[in-house]
Structures are given as structure tokens and as C-alpha cells.
Amino acid sequence: MPDGNTRSYTSGVTGMDIANDISKSLAKKSIAIVINEKECDLSLPIENDVSISIITRDQDAALELIRHDCAHVLAEAVQELFPGTQVTIGPSIENGFYYDFYRETPFTIEDLPKIEKKMRQIIERGNPFTREVWDRNEAIKFFKEKGEAFKAELIEDLPESETITIYKQGEWLDLCRGPHMPTTKQVGTAFKLMKVAGAYWRGDSNREMLSRIYGTAWRTQEELDAYLHQLEEAEKRDHRKLGREMDLFHFDPKAQGSCFWHPKGFTIYNQMETYIRRRVNDAEYVEVKTPQLMDQKLWETSGHWQKYREDMFVVPDVTPNTEEGEPIFKEEPKDFMALKPMNCPAHVEIFKQGIKSYKDLPIRMAEFGCCHRNEAHGALHGLLRVRQFTQDDGHIFCREDQILDEAVAFCELTQKIYKDLDFEDYYLTLETRPEERIGSDELWDKAENGLKQAMDHLGLKYEIAEGDGAFYGPKLGFIVKDAIGREWGCATLQIDFNLPRRFEATYIGEDGEKHYPVMLHRAILGTLERFIGIMIEHFAGKLPLWLAPTQCAIATITSEVDDYAQNLYEQLKANGMRPILDTRNEKISYKVREHSTGKVPVIFVIGKSEAEENTVSIRRLGSQKTESMNAEEAVKALIEEAKPPY
RNA sequence: GCUGCUGUAGCUCAGUGGUAGAGCGCACCCUUGGUAAGGGUGAGGCCGGGAGUUCAAUUCUCCCCAGCAGCACCA
């Protein structure tokens, strides 16, 4: 038992027997049992001496079971309502569950209330979940005859050694590893079907498109309500919505996936660029600028032409025809240029100019590199996934013995910057060699180990994502979440032994011989666009003073004090701040409201008494309170407060 | 790119087989008002684009385009 006590039962006792033996009330709320650290059904007979703990419905561990059971109930409901629909898989996920179905006509949201109603009936029925072990071939035959081709395929692909278990709830059954709660009743009523979407069978875009139904499920109605409320709140933070409301930027079909930065948005952009430039300069980088359009030959050398072309914008290197009614190109273009999707080849070109000595290394080259990638239409998403973006890119050319130091320095720099930006909510990944790649396995081993060492050295925890690396090298990634829980890669460090070889980029070593440098590809924000998008969501639009497009609104109560207000405005302006002067013929409440909804961090309210006493009334965003202060002191304090963190 | 949904005023959204409405915003007028919406008047729409059905289409059907959600792909 979890409390360290030991209990004795005859062989074959079940979890439910034990729960009943302990107390009726425990039995009532028990839903599963952990046997030797493995979650099992309460009905599973226990044959040997084991350690157990019983899971009750009020524990956190119950959520996954509730959601998984709810998915089964969903599948039963769907098959009851829509005969002929094939079932596939239906796992529990963060905050809920889904089930993928195959059906000629996909489900629409209109179907959901009906399905949900049926689910409630099934739950009310309270059929017990019963587990059966089936013979593999029998199971395949059974599902095939039933017309469940997807289930049959699943079983066929299970290893021979795997026990095939079937879970029944009343008449309905499903292939499932389990475990499940005693009856459908335990699912409860705190669930809701949320949305429908397409999803590829087995995540493969070459396979069938299935119809996925998403749902959320919780232990209590309160939890469900809280979750739904949280979703609403998250939507309010959506950077696309705030970008429009705050007049920061817009997107237009005429430039799909590329951002039109408005004056206010571009102010944030410029502040970020200036900040990073400063930090990177302090970290001994040199800044460069490289061409936007480069020849096919260069991309062939780098490998992009072979491995990355479908993501590139390729431009024929031909003079277009301007005669009306004629084709744009009189003949099939033979020579091509491409808009750069990455800056690395151009940086290698700079490295290659002149002869480098081992004493010159490391060379840390930085660029705010504007890149274009031909992203799939469906991938575009506000600022978080665009076709044109500016990376805070950098490439470190170093010797092998410098990799660890450089990787560590990069991680430290990133952590420092994320801290400055009040950004703590991220996790690390190590993405290893993908199938489509360049370079020998030996070099990949070295590169992957290099990253591991650096992270271990710093004591950073990371998840390994097998096969997710770039085609030229493994990646260390900083992953952050947006307002609605979607995850986005930002900072990245990639170790690359390949590109210098492909470009014949060398340095002269201590031994007088030529050697290939190692190239570390790295970005800290990732891209300015994405990072700003995530920051807008992170701060819910209420950016820190140094980043806020408008830092202070000076709002007058009466036109009699316009001159006094004008003077304050000029003082702030003269000190590099971004104030606005609001002397409009409106009531002060109106002005306060407008600037508050506009997320202006500070409002100076100026009336007669302020002008007479040489003070300002200060109101901060998110606060109802006001503070009166001597005008000179207020201006001075605000200027100090608005200084960037460098 | 795939599946589904959506596309009406600058924004948020109603609505109808007989070519349109609200609130906010905008312009003008009145109002000089003390910390989240003062009042009035007015301008503003090829109802995403194209085809079809119909006497008649913003409304129904089809095709395109775009946006959104998810999938796949990725900074």
C-alpha cells in the first residue's frame, strides 16, 4: 500500500475487492489501480505480491482515464448514430481527448450536440468496461468482417508479442490497451465536444483524411467551466486580435503570410532589434548584411536546392517579356535565383573571403537576416508563421575544441535575454538527425554529442525529438507556448560540420594545414516576427514600458491647460520617449478609457490644479489608483523607468 | 498542401429570393467636462471573385480566392 503497510489477500483478488475491503466509500470513488507502477483495471486479478495504490476519481491521475473513457463513449455514440462510420484511434490529450473516424462525409459542428446527447445517454446507462484478451488473427478477422479496416490494420502492425486486448462497454467494443474505469458512469457529465477537424490516418499526409472530433473532459463541472473560461481569456490575448486592436500590424491577401508593420508595431520591432543588437555586440559578435537573392549555384552547393527547394521562392534569372498578350517568359527559363530561406550560405561566403587562421576563431557573425520561405498555405498563422521574416541570426565559425564553450555561451546569452524580456515559460528540445540529411553519420554523432554536452554542462533539462533536426545538423530548440497552448520554436542552436565542407571553407591550423571550421547556426529570438507575436500574447498587449509603442499619454481635462501639457510632452519627447498629447475635446473619462484599452502603460492626467501646482496626476495601466507627483520628478522618473534593460 | 467552417461598412456582428441594418470608430455641431464610453447630425457597402438556376441572387448551386480551426510541414 502507498502508506507502507502490507495487506494479504488470496491470489486472484482484484483492485475493487481490495478497495471494498478497505472501505465502502473508497470503493465507490475508485476508478483504477496502479500495480507495480503500472495503471490497471480495478477488475484485474492480482496473482502475486505487488505494490499497489488505488486511483480515485478525485485525483489528478483520474483525468487521463476520464478522457480516455470519454473518447470510447464518443466512438460508441458516433457508431450508434452514424452506422458505417469506421473507428480508428481516440487518445486522451492535454485538456481533453479526440477520436478519429473514417466516414464518407466528415462530421460538422452541427453534428456535435446530437453526438453529445447520445454520449450522455451512454454514460447514464453505466455499462461496465470489460477487458478481454483476443487471439491476434481472430481479432484481425473480426474487425475485417466488421468492415473496420483501420482497426484491422492497427492490429496487423502490432508486434507479434503484443497481447491483443479488447474493451467492451455493453455491446460496443474497441481494440484498446486500457486501462479503463469500472463503468461508463464514472466519465461523469463534465465534458463537452469542442470542434471537428481533419487529421491524416497515422499522421501521414499520403494516407486517408479522417474526421477528428475533439472534446474536453474534467472531473467536475467547476473544472470544465474554469477551462472554458480560460480558453475565452486566451482568445483575448491572441496577437492577431491585439495587433488589430492596438494598430500594430496587418496582413493582406496581396502579400499572404507577410506582415505590414504599422508605425506602432514597427516601434516594438525596432526596439527589439536595437536591444538584440546591443546584447549580441556585447557578446563579441560582428554584424553583417547579405544579399536577398542569390544564385541557384550557391543553393546547390549548400544543399538547399536538393533538400529545401519546395520551401523556397525561386525566381527565373531572365528578363520578363512586357508585350501584351505574350507569355511572361518567351522561353523556358534555364537559370534561377532564389530568395534566401536562410542566411548561412551567405555567411560562409563572407567567412571565405581572405585566409583565416586558427587564431581568428571563433568568428561570431550576426545578421538581422530577412528570409523568405514558401510555407504551405495552411501553415500560415499571424506573426507566428509567416513567409517573410527576419531572423536574429548568427553563425559561429569555430574549432572543434571550442564547440562546448560556444554552445554554453549561447545558452547563457539566451537565458539572459529571455530573462530581460520577462520570458520564463519555455522548454528545451534536442532534435536529432532527420532521414533527409547531408553529411556522414560520424559527423552527426559528433554534432549531437556536442549539443548534449553543452546542455548537460549547464544542467538544462531537455526533451529529445528524434529525427527532427535540420538537414545539415542537429538542433537545440527553445520552445514556447502561445496564448492558446500552441507551441512554437524560438531560439535555436544547430551544430553543423557539413556546410563548411560543401563550401570548401577552411582555416589554417596551428599545424599549418587547412582545416574545416565547425559552424554553429544560432538565433535567440528565432525571428523578430514570431517573438513579438508571442510577446504580445505573453503580456496580453501590456508591453513593458521600454517596448510599448506609446509610453505615456498626456491627457488634458480642459483646454486651459494645453500649454502646460504641451510642455510636458516636449520634455518627454526630448528625452527619447514616445509620449502622445491628447488635448481633444473629450471628457477625461473618455480619454482614460481609450488609452487604457489602447494599452498605454502610463497616463498623465492634467487639469487646472496640476497646472497651478506644477504636478501631474499619474494613472498606470491596470490600476484604478492615481498618484499625484511634482511634474519634473514625474518626468525624470518615467524617463528612468523607460530605459531598456541594457 | 489536405479536411471542415467562414467571408455583409474601418472594426465587431445582425439580416433577406425583390440590390441592406446595428453598435463602435470616423466627420461636423453643441458641450471645457476630474480618472474606463456626454449629446446631436452626417458620411460610409459591387453583401470576397466568377459562373449557373431564376422574371429577379447578397441570399440557392458549382468553381476559384482568402481567412479561421485542426492535420501535415516548420523559425
Side-chain angles (χ1 to χ4, degrees):
Chain A
M1 309 301 292
D3 59 8
N5 290 331
T6 303
R7 281 171 174 261
S8 297
Y9 295 97
T10 51
S11 178
V13 69
T14 68
M16 189 49 99
D17 294 336
I18 299 172
N20 263 309
D21 186 45
I22 294 169
S23 80
K24 285 278 173 281
S25 59
L26 175 66
K28 211 171 160 190
K29 57 182 187 174
S30 300
I31 54 170
I33 182 168
V34 179
I35 302 175
N36 289 339
E37 308 195 347
K38 184 170 175 274
E39 276 188 21
C40 298
D41 298 325
L42 276 176
S43 57
L44 190 77
I46 300 168
E47 314 285 353
N48 305 309
D49 287 346
V50 293
S51 70
I52 64 150
S53 69
I54 287 171
I55 301 175
T56 56
R57 200 177 178 283
D58 50 9
Q59 290 172 348
D60 288 344
L63 282 170
E64 212 171 304
L65 288 155
I66 291 169
R67 289 166 185 163
H68 182 200
D69 286 16
C70 205
H72 275 239
V73 171
L74 166 61
E76 181 181 353
V78 163
Q79 289 203 311
E80 221 172 297
L81 290 168
F82 306 93
T85 304
Q86 290 190 52
V87 290
T88 67
I89 57 160
S92 73
I93 53 174
E94 193 178 8
N95 300 323
F97 61 92
Y98 67 78
Y99 207 109
D100 285 347
F101 300 98
Y102 181 74
R103 186 167 176 250
E104 286 295 313
T105 45
F107 297 106
T108 70
I109 35 166
E110 278 84 54
D111 297 323
L112 297 186
K114 198 165 43 172
I115 297 171
E116 203 175 298
K117 198 176 159 200
K118 177 62 74 181
M119 288 172 71
R120 292 189 193 280
Q121 288 170 12
I122 292 167
I123 290 165
E124 189 55 34
R125 267 184 233 152
N127 283 321
F129 284 100
T130 53
R131 178 177 182 268
E132 292 176 11
V133 177
W134 283 21
D135 172 74
R136 180 193 183 85
N137 292 328
E138 291 281 317
I140 293 170
K141 191 166 160 245
F142 174 84
F143 282 109
K144 275 192 176 157
E145 281 172 5
K146 216 172 150 216
E148 297 281 6
F150 295 91
K151 277 287 172 196
E153 183 184 326
L154 278 181
I155 302 171
E156 278 169 346
D157 289 352
L158 285 175
E160 294 283 346
S161 56
E162 187 95 5
T163 313
I164 310 293
T165 56
I166 297 291
Y167 276 83
K168 279 189 181 169
Q169 57 205 61
E171 294 299 303
W172 194 82
L173 59 80
D174 196 3
L175 167 77
C176 184
R177 196 180 290 122
H180 281 279
M181 301 189 288
T183 75
T184 58
K185 195 116 186 173
Q186 273 89 3
V187 171
T189 56
F191 70 92
K192 186 173 169 19
L193 297 183
M194 303 294 284
K195 54 194 174 190
V196 292
Y200 295 111
W201 170 232
R202 300 196 143 179
D204 183 343
S205 56
N206 297 313
R207 303 289 309 262
E208 293 87 341
M209 176 60 75
L210 306 172
S211 183
R212 175 175 295 180
I213 298 178
Y214 281 95
T216 185
W218 300 84
R219 290 169 294 193
T220 61
Q221 187 65 34
E222 289 71 47
E223 280 185 347
L224 173 63
D225 291 343
Y227 173 68
L228 296 176
H229 178 72
Q230 185 198 323
L231 280 186
E232 278 173 34
E233 289 302 306
E235 264 176 48
K236 291 184 195 159
R237 290 175 168 246
D238 192 312
H239 75 283
R240 294 165 300 182
K241 185 177 155 71
L242 287 170
R244 203 182 309 112
E245 286 171 4
M246 295 170 70
D247 192 21
L248 302 177
F249 55 82
H250 82 272
F251 285 89
D252 188 280
K254 292 184 274 297
Q256 259 182 67
S258 297
C259 182
F260 290 80
W261 287 102
H262 295 10
K264 286 180 185 171
F266 197 53
T267 300
I268 303 171
Y269 183 107
N270 276 143
Q271 286 303 120
M272 287 297 288
E273 188 177 301
T274 304
Y275 165 75
I276 291 294
R277 177 170 286 126
R278 179 68 179 254
R279 279 275 174 262
V280 151
N281 183 55
D282 289 349
E284 303 293 343
Y285 283 74
V286 287
E287 190 178 342
V288 298
K289 195 76 181 172
T290 61
Q292 210 62 47
L293 256 183
M294 289 183 276
D295 196 272
Q296 174 180 343
K297 305 265 184 331
L298 174 112
W299 302 112
E300 282 171 357
T301 305
S302 68
H304 285 82
W305 198 256
Q306 297 84 344
K307 306 283 182 195
Y308 205 77
R309 193 169 41 182
E310 66 173 17
D311 286 311
M312 291 162 67
F313 287 102
V314 173
V315 183
D317 189 8
V318 184
T319 309
N321 186 15
T322 52
E323 282 166 48
E324 214 160 310
E326 297 284 315
I328 297 169
F329 302 114
K330 280 186 174 160
E331 53 202 278
E332 183 75 4
K334 288 187 186 63
D335 299 313
F336 295 95
M337 316 267 282
L339 286 168
K340 63 175 171 186
M342 300 182 193
N343 307 297
C344 29
H347 289 185
V348 182
E349 291 292 344
I350 292 181
F351 177 87
K352 280 176 67 178
Q353 294 300 112
I355 292 169
K356 299 289 183 295
S357 151
Y358 69 95
K359 295 176 197 162
D360 296 325
L361 304 183
I363 291 173
R364 305 187 191 89
M365 210 182 278
E367 176 173 3
F368 290 99
C370 177
C371 296
H372 288 79
R373 293 186 192 171
N374 198 351
E375 301 288 353
H377 290 79
L380 302 177
H381 184 92
L383 285 175
L384 304 188
R385 192 75 181 274
V386 286
R387 285 182 163 167
Q388 185 199 91
F389 51 85
T390 301
Q391 294 180 314
D392 62 325
D393 205 2
H395 294 93
I396 300 166
F397 297 88
C398 66
R399 292 180 261 122
E400 280 188 36
D401 62 285
Q402 293 171 320
I403 292 176
L404 184 60
D405 284 350
E406 289 303 317
V408 167
F410 165 78
C411 289
E412 285 173 345
L413 179 60
T414 301
Q415 287 176 309
K416 180 186 178 68
I417 287 172
Y418 279 25
K419 191 155 190 279
D420 278 349
L421 299 173
D422 183 41
F423 227 83
E424 315 275 349
D425 189 16
Y426 55 83
Y427 68 91
L428 298 179
T429 56
L430 174 61
E431 303 173 19
T432 60
R433 67 195 78 185
E435 283 189 24
E436 282 274 295
R437 61 176 184 264
I438 54 176
S440 70
D441 285 349
E442 193 197 344
L443 292 180
W444 276 90
D445 288 341
K446 260 200 231 177
E448 286 169 5
N449 288 331
L451 286 178
K452 278 182 194 160
Q453 276 176 24
M455 283 190 281
D456 291 342
H457 180 87
L458 285 165
L460 298 170
K461 281 194 187 135
Y462 56 91
E463 288 177 11
I464 292 185
E466 297 286 352
D468 282 350
F471 70 83
Y472 50 77
K475 290 199 245 186
L476 181 166
F478 284 65
I479 312 295
V480 310
K481 279 188 187 181
D482 74 5
I484 346 184
R486 282 179 285 223
E487 297 184 342
W488 303 91
C490 287
T492 178
L493 173 66
Q494 304 162 14
I495 299 192
D496 179 3
F497 289 93
N498 290 305
L499 271 196
R501 282 169 175 72
R502 296 181 75 103
F503 277 89
E504 284 297 318
T506 57
Y507 66 91
I508 310 297
E510 216 168 344
D511 55 7
E513 301 291 319
K514 281 185 181 176
H515 298 273
Y516 293 114
V518 183
M519 226 177 137
L520 307 188
H521 305 240
R522 43 108 288 165
I524 291 172
L525 303 180
T527 71
L528 283 153
E529 284 80 1
R530 175 174 294 175
F531 206 88
I532 291 170
I534 287 176
M535 281 211 307
I536 290 168
E537 304 200 345
H538 174 69
F539 290 112
K542 296 171 193 161
L543 293 161
L545 194 59
W546 69 280
L547 281 172
T550 299
Q551 295 173 311
C552 178
I554 302 163
T556 54
I557 293 170
T558 160
S559 52
E560 288 172 51
V561 299
D562 284 2
D563 289 346
Y564 178 75
Q566 172 81 30
N567 183 264
L568 287 169
Y569 169 82
E570 281 165 10
Q571 284 182 47
L572 290 173
K573 190 84 182 167
N575 282 281
M577 288 201 58
R578 299 182 294 274
I580 52 166
L581 182 59
D582 186 357
T583 56
R584 290 175 304 171
N585 177 13
E586 295 291 351
K587 289 202 166 184
I588 193 60
S589 298
Y590 183 92
K591 295 184 185 181
V592 165
R593 178 173 197 275
E594 189 173 280
H595 297 125
S596 299
T597 54
K599 312 273 195 283
V600 177
V602 177
I603 304 173
F604 282 1
V605 174
I606 308 299
K608 270 186 209 164
S609 57
E610 283 78 10
E612 279 162 14
E613 292 159 27
N614 193 35
T615 60
V616 294
S617 171
I618 304 169
R619 183 183 167 122
R620 301 222 169 225
L621 183 57
S623 167
Q624 239 75 275
K625 281 181 285 187
T626 61
E627 182 194 356
S628 185
M629 206 171 168
N630 172 275
E632 279 70 40
E633 283 174 30
V635 167
K636 207 175 141 197
L638 197 63
I639 291 165
E640 186 58 33
E641 191 185 332
K643 281 192 179 151
Y646 47 71

